[in-house]
Amino acid sequence: MCRNIRTLFNFEPPATQAEIRDASLQFVRKLSGYNIPSKANEAAFNQAVEEISASAAALLSALVTHADPKNRAEETARARAKNAIRFAPRP
């Protein structure tokens, strides 16, 4: 799994199209093994990103939950605190 792909569902405010596209780009990069595709593969790479973005947007709009939406700022602060502990210098 790509570490840079983050959960996009059930946040307030909802995921933007840019966030969905960024996650799709990371997914296609992982699948293809290319960070930047060659000219020969560029069209297929870009088409895959667009198709996955559309599928991801459709999925996010179709999902339902009874849980309250998560607050982005709180989740970011929680992740930073966790990482500060995880990556703290060791004596």
Side-chain angles (χ1 to χ4, degrees):
M1 183 69 179
C2 297
R3 284 184 244 159
N4 293 344
I5 297 177
R6 303 288 181 231
T7 301
L8 298 177
F9 177 63
N10 199 29
F11 277 98
E12 189 59 44
T16 64
Q17 287 298 324
E19 290 171 317
I20 295 169
R21 188 179 188 295
D22 289 346
S24 301
L25 176 61
Q26 286 297 322
F27 183 70
V28 172
R29 285 177 173 169
K30 185 68 168 188
L31 285 178
S32 68
Y34 295 120
N35 190 25
I36 300 173
S38 64
K39 288 289 183 190
N41 293 318
E42 189 173 22
F45 186 93
N46 290 336
Q47 181 181 354
V49 171
E50 295 308 316
E51 289 175 2
I52 291 169
S53 293
S55 294
L59 172 66
L60 291 174
S61 66
L63 292 174
V64 295
T65 183
H66 298 290
D68 292 331
K70 299 175 207 161
N71 182 292
R72 287 184 185 273
E74 290 173 7
E75 293 296 319
T76 300
R78 184 177 301 138
R80 286 193 176 136
K82 183 178 176 181
N83 284 334
I85 294 167
R86 181 177 177 198
F87 298 112
R90 299 180 194 238

